[in-house]
Structures are given as C-alpha cells and as structure tokens.
Amino acid sequence: MVGLKDRAGGELIYFSLSPENPTIIEHLASGGTAVILEGEDVVIRSAEPPVHVLSVLDAPITLRGVATFNTANVLAAVAALHGLGTPVNMIRNGISTFHPSATQNPGRMNVIDFVAFKVIIDYGHNVPAIKALGRALPRISAGQKIVVAHGPGNRTDANIKQFGAALASVYDHLILADIDPRGRANEETPGLVRAGALETGFPAASIEIIPAAMEAIDHAFSIIRPGDLLVIQVDEVAPILDRVMEHFKQVVAKA
C-alpha cells in the first residue's frame, strides 16, 4: 500500500517478496530500510550491512514457503518489529515458534493431518482470500480439493456470485452451508454462491447445498478419500474445530 505512505507516521519501512521491486530499489537508494525476501531468506536491508533474520522454511506460518501470503505477512511483521527496535534474535525466535495451529492462531490456515488426507480450517470468506489459499493448495495435496463454505449474506448478489466463482476456480467439489445469512432468506445465500460457480461452467453435480454447518462437515468427511484435501471455512472456530477433532478421533480409532 505504497500509496498510503504519506499518511504514515514515523520511519517508512517497506517490504516485498521481490528484491527487484522498483519501489524497494528506489527506497534503498535514498537511504531507506526494507525487508526483502531474497531466495528463501528474510533480509533487512538499509544503509547499514544487511541483516539476515531467518529462512522462510523456518517460519511455520508459511508452511515451508508454500503459503506465500503468509510469507508476505512474515515480512510485514519483521518490518514492524524492526521499526519498533526489537532485537533480531527476539524477532527470529517469535516467528520461528509461531505455528498456524488452532491453539496459537485459531481459524487461520490450521492444517490438521489425518495421515490419509488433510483438513484445513480457515476463515477465508472473500475472493482474494479464496484465491490466495487456492494458489497454495496444489502444493499441499495432489488429490481432490473439497470445500465446506458459506458466503456472508450482507454482500451484494454480485459479490456473493463472485465468491462462488472464486470457489469454482480452486475446488473440485463444493459443499455450501448457510451459517451467515445476515438477513437473507434461508438458503438464499448458498443459492447465489452456487449460481456464481455455475456461471463459470462448474459442474452442477459437484455442488451440494447443506445449510447446517455440522451436517455439511459430516457429509464432507463421508465423501473424502485418501489423498484428498478438505478446506472448512469457519465462522465460529471452537464448535467447528470440536467437530473436526471428533472425526479425527474416529479415524485414529480405526487405524
């Protein structure tokens, strides 16, 4: 958000996934500070000697560099902490011990390994979030991608359809719940999500509407197969996580 730089107070520290970013090059040439991804390394560059913070492979939140949106978040966090004067060792320790788990970061890219397949719990409820996660999914699992999702009812019809189109661009099977209607009639929101997916040519047979979240989750577990990946979009994390862990215990008991 370089356009907001004039509204920022204090020292400007930019960050970028690319060391060749023209804004970064210009900023450094003028004596500024930037946090850059150089290969797999997070580096602080300024008029002083460069400071290596850590490899993104050692930042659990990036899933060993697979989740590039979280790599960008790591760069932003390093920039903010460096600007506050936090010692590099403290920054490194904090980032290397922060995991995308339901304990440390509930509802944010929580990956649960069922051995035969994987489940991700994530808030992602808008088009950019769906697409960002979608870019990472093929590197997490090669199998079928299934999602249990819902669209927020207080968006416009067009926005909800765009959400459905985004889901269709990422997943092989859509299970649409209706847990966030926000004033819309029952099943109106998932109907719009479905319509948006269908407009992209997504097969109708691969879309199911199951309004109740827990029933939708149970159904997803009934159709998932070895090698598949299930993404569950959450509204309230705790009850959904509890339901997922019930299935986890069942899978472990059968193993």
Side-chain angles (χ1 to χ4, degrees):
M1 302 296 287
V2 176
L4 298 177
K5 64 182 179 63
D6 293 333
R7 295 169 56 184
E11 179 187 3
L12 288 175
I13 301 178
Y14 290 149
F15 67 92
S16 176
L17 292 168
S18 171
E20 305 303 320
N21 184 302
T23 299
I24 295 295
I25 293 173
E26 180 181 352
H27 185 62
L28 290 175
S30 65
T33 300
V35 180
I36 313 169
L37 184 66
E38 299 183 359
E40 296 173 344
D41 296 325
V42 177
V43 179
I44 301 172
R45 288 200 171 272
S46 66
E48 303 295 325
V51 178
H52 173 270
V53 182
L54 82 169
S55 166
V56 292
L57 302 182
D58 296 324
I61 198 73
T62 73
L63 300 182
R64 295 190 61 78
V66 168
T68 54
F69 53 92
N70 273 341
T71 297
N73 287 335
V74 166
L75 298 177
V78 171
L81 291 167
H82 179 69
L84 291 171
T86 307
V88 172
N89 286 343
M90 188 175 294
I91 296 174
R92 182 182 299 118
N93 182 64
I95 291 175
S96 64
T97 57
F98 184 65
H99 293 260
S101 66
T103 301
Q104 288 188 303
N105 200 24
R108 302 292 183 184
M109 195 70 176
N110 305 150
V111 182
I112 303 172
D113 193 344
F114 280 66
V115 181
F117 56 85
K118 289 182 173 64
V119 175
I120 294 177
I121 296 175
D122 191 70
Y123 274 116
H125 63 281
N126 55 50
V127 171
I130 295 300
K131 291 185 175 181
L133 179 58
R135 287 189 288 271
L137 296 186
R139 298 177 63 188
I140 297 174
S141 175
Q144 179 180 220
K145 311 299 187 295
I146 304 168
V147 67
V148 174
H150 63 274
N154 64 344
R155 305 294 194 265
T156 66
D157 289 4
N159 285 341
I160 296 173
K161 286 184 177 181
Q162 289 168 4
F163 178 76
L167 292 175
S169 72
V170 171
Y171 297 99
D172 303 299
H173 193 92
L174 313 182
I175 302 172
L176 306 177
D178 191 19
I179 60 176
D180 200 13
R182 302 189 187 186
R184 287 186 181 265
N186 291 338
E187 299 189 30
E188 181 182 359
T189 304
L192 288 168
V193 176
R194 180 179 185 275
L198 292 175
E199 288 175 2
T200 71
F202 195 82
S206 297
I207 306 175
E208 301 176 86
I209 294 179
I210 303 177
M214 299 309 171
E215 292 178 13
I217 291 170
D218 291 345
H219 178 65
F221 275 100
S222 76
I223 66 172
I224 197 168
R225 297 292 179 263
D228 288 352
L229 175 62
L230 169 62
V231 174
I232 300 174
Q233 179 195 349
V234 296
D235 185 34
E236 293 184 33
V237 178
I240 288 179
L241 180 62
D242 288 345
R243 193 61 153 236
V244 170
M245 295 314 296
E246 287 177 15
H247 284 281
F248 184 82
K249 291 175 184 176
Q250 292 172 13
V251 169
V252 170
K254 293 177 181 178

